[in-house]
Amino acid sequence: MAFPTTPHSPGGLVVVQPLKRKRCAGCRRGPLSLLVLEDGAPRCLDCADLGHLVLLARGDTALTRRAREESSLSAVVVRFNRRKSRYERQGVLVEAAALARAEARCLADAEARRRRRARDARSRAVKDERFAAAFTAEILRLFPGCPGERARAIAAHASVRGSGRVGRSAAGRVLSEGAVISAVVAAVRHVDTPYDQLLMSGVARYEARRRIAPSVQDVLRTWRGAGESTG
């Protein structure tokens, strides 16, 4: 089996966790849990002169960064995700002594880093609250007839950090009119029309949108009316 496009990491070595059983092209040992690709051929870590390194799984950003700083030789470990058609990082290989030094550094300032994370989380929460309030205000400016609770719910949903929703797009972050309207339309589509039921019954997305478009427009016309009928 040929490997997908050979993975690479700018300025570093890459080690692969194979999805299928592979043997080393040099010593013929296998199956290999980790391998290095040299000219498309799999090599075990010993044959690639990396056998003395230990695996640090992903998950602890500070420990990973410090372990790589302490290690004179390191490699990124990746595995191919078939569903996404790309390699994904699984961890790093570093020298055992370097990992021990990095762990000692992390233990020494663990409390300080915990406090910093807590401060950062509070700061993000305040920023998110302000952004959601601004998003709500813009919804009510464009749709003064939209109930206040509904506007707040739409803004909260659209602006969830890391969600990839319209509120977190480039246009959404600057509260562009198009992004705000898109968030409102999406909310109306799912809450005020049978759109979801149509999808569940097997209707194609574009056809389902065509069928419920008049209902969406009716709600938007009502909400664009001056004044807020309900709070």
Coordinates of all heavy atoms in Angstrom, one line a residue, residues 3-7 14-16 35-43 48 87:
F3 N 1.7 5.1 0.8 CA 1.2 6.0 1.8 C 0.6 7.2 1.1 O 0.9 7.6 0.0 CB 2.3 6.5 2.7 CG 2.7 5.5 3.8 CD1 3.6 4.5 3.6 CD2 2.1 5.6 5.0 CE1 3.9 3.6 4.6 CE2 2.4 4.8 6.1 CZ 3.3 3.7 5.8
P4 N -0.4 7.9 1.8 CA -0.9 9.2 1.3 C 0.3 10.2 1.1 O 1.4 9.9 1.5 CB -1.9 9.6 2.3 CG -2.2 8.4 3.1 CD -1.0 7.6 3.1
T5 N 0.0 11.3 0.6 CA 1.0 12.3 0.5 C 1.9 12.4 1.7 O 1.4 12.5 2.8 CB 0.4 13.7 0.2 OG1 -0.4 13.6 -0.9 CG2 1.5 14.8 0.0
T6 N 3.2 12.3 1.5 CA 4.1 12.2 2.7 C 4.0 13.4 3.6 O 4.0 14.5 3.1 CB 5.6 12.1 2.2 OG1 5.7 11.0 1.3 CG2 6.5 11.9 3.3
P7 N 3.7 13.1 4.9 CA 3.5 14.3 5.8 C 4.8 15.0 6.0 O 5.9 14.5 5.8 CB 3.1 13.6 7.1 CG 3.7 12.2 7.0 CD 3.7 11.8 5.5
V14 N 9.3 13.9 11.1 CA 8.0 13.4 11.2 C 8.0 11.9 11.3 O 8.7 11.2 10.5 CB 7.1 13.8 10.0 CG1 5.7 13.2 10.1 CG2 7.0 15.3 9.9
V15 N 7.3 11.4 12.3 CA 7.1 9.9 12.5 C 5.6 9.6 12.3 O 4.8 10.3 12.7 CB 7.6 9.5 13.8 CG1 7.3 8.1 14.1 CG2 9.1 9.7 13.9
V16 N 5.4 8.5 11.6 CA 4.0 8.1 11.3 C 3.5 6.9 12.2 O 4.2 5.9 12.4 CB 3.9 7.7 9.8 CG1 2.5 7.3 9.5 CG2 4.3 8.9 8.9
L35 N 6.8 4.6 12.5 CA 7.8 4.4 11.4 C 8.2 5.8 10.8 O 7.4 6.7 11.0 CB 7.2 3.5 10.3 CG 5.9 3.9 9.6 CD1 6.2 4.8 8.4 CD2 5.2 2.6 9.1
V36 N 9.3 5.8 10.1 CA 9.7 6.9 9.4 C 9.7 6.6 7.9 O 10.1 5.5 7.5 CB 11.1 7.3 9.8 CG1 11.7 8.5 9.0 CG2 11.2 7.7 11.3
L37 N 9.2 7.5 7.1 CA 9.2 7.3 5.6 C 10.5 7.9 5.0 O 10.8 9.1 5.1 CB 8.0 7.9 5.0 CG 6.7 7.3 5.3 CD1 5.5 8.1 4.7 CD2 6.6 5.8 4.8
E38 N 11.3 7.0 4.4 CA 12.5 7.5 3.7 C 12.4 7.1 2.3 O 12.4 5.9 1.9 CB 13.8 6.8 4.3 CG 14.1 7.3 5.7 CD 15.4 6.8 6.3 OE1 15.9 5.8 5.7 OE2 15.9 7.3 7.3
D39 N 12.2 8.0 1.4 CA 12.0 7.8 0.0 C 10.8 6.9 -0.2 O 10.8 6.0 -1.1 CB 13.2 7.2 -0.7 CG 14.4 8.1 -0.6 OD1 14.2 9.3 -0.8 OD2 15.6 7.6 -0.5
G40 N 9.8 7.1 0.6 CA 8.5 6.3 0.5 C 8.6 4.9 1.1 O 7.5 4.3 1.2
A41 N 9.7 4.5 1.6 CA 9.8 3.2 2.3 C 9.8 3.4 3.8 O 10.4 4.3 4.4 CB 11.2 2.5 1.9
P42 N 9.1 2.4 4.5 CA 9.0 2.5 5.9 C 10.3 2.0 6.6 O 10.8 1.0 6.2 CB 7.8 1.6 6.3 CG 7.8 0.6 5.2 CD 8.2 1.4 3.9
R43 N 10.7 2.8 7.6 CA 11.8 2.4 8.4 C 11.4 2.4 9.9 O 10.7 3.3 10.3 CB 13.0 3.3 8.2 CG 13.5 3.5 6.8 CD 14.5 2.4 6.4 NE 14.9 2.6 5.0 CZ 15.7 1.8 4.4 NH1 16.3 0.8 5.1 NH2 16.1 1.9 3.2
A48 N 16.1 4.3 11.8 CA 16.1 5.8 11.4 C 16.8 6.6 12.5 O 16.8 7.8 12.5 CB 14.6 6.3 11.3
Y87 N -3.3 14.1 7.6 CA -2.5 13.7 8.8 C -2.9 14.6 10.0 O -3.0 15.8 9.8 CB -1.0 13.7 8.5 CG -0.5 12.6 7.7 CD1 -0.4 12.7 6.3 CD2 -0.2 11.3 8.3 CE1 0.1 11.6 5.5 CE2 0.2 10.3 7.5 CZ 0.4 10.4 6.2 OH 0.9 9.3 5.4

